[in-house]
Amino acid sequence: MIKVITSADNSIVKQVKKLKMKRERTALGLYVAEGKRIVADAIEAGVVKYVVTTFDTDIFPVTYKVKESIFEKISDTKSPQGILAVCEMREMALPKTGDIVVCDGV
């Protein structure tokens, strides 16, 4: 079911804006995944809390539709695709033996 958001003062819009700051992401245990492919991957991984988009879609049960002008304010990319997901952070256990490669800031 799609819920329409018409105001930039909406709590969902405000939360997505706050998630641009690391301290908010850490405090809430949430992050933003943006773009069609990344959102699809996040849904498949089962980490999506809700989706925000500029178009009608039934990609996820909790979906908010916003105007493009609002989406541009919450987007973190230069050429937004009109879709993002707010996702839950998960802890990952590292193997106790063997070599590990960690990529940071790629």
Side-chain angles (χ1 to χ4, degrees):
M1 177 180 176
I2 297 175
K3 300 173 186 175
V4 178
I5 296 174
T6 58
S7 171
D9 290 328
N10 182 281
S11 61
I12 296 295
V13 174
K14 287 180 178 181
Q15 183 178 53
V16 175
K17 282 182 184 179
K18 284 182 180 180
L19 291 174
K20 290 182 179 184
M21 295 180 284
K22 183 178 180 178
R23 77 169 183 271
E24 290 295 327
R25 291 191 302 269
T26 302
L28 297 172
L30 300 172
Y31 65 94
V32 176
E34 191 169 346
K36 293 175 183 175
R37 173 68 185 190
I38 295 171
V39 170
D41 289 347
I43 289 170
E44 187 176 316
V47 296
V48 175
K49 186 173 178 183
Y50 59 85
V51 171
V52 179
T53 183
T54 58
F55 49 87
D56 291 333
T57 182
D58 60 355
I59 193 170
F60 194 72
V62 182
T63 302
Y64 299 96
K65 182 179 176 185
V66 297
K67 297 176 186 176
E68 286 187 27
S69 59
I70 294 174
F71 194 88
E72 288 173 2
K73 292 177 183 177
I74 62 175
S75 175
D76 224 11
T77 61
K78 292 180 183 178
S79 300
Q81 294 180 8
I83 188 167
L84 63 80
V86 172
C87 306
E88 298 171 346
M89 290 184 189
R90 292 199 177 153
E91 295 288 325
M92 292 181 59
L94 297 176
K96 297 186 187 232
T97 60
D99 296 329
I100 300 173
V101 176
V102 178
C103 299
D104 183 29
V106 177

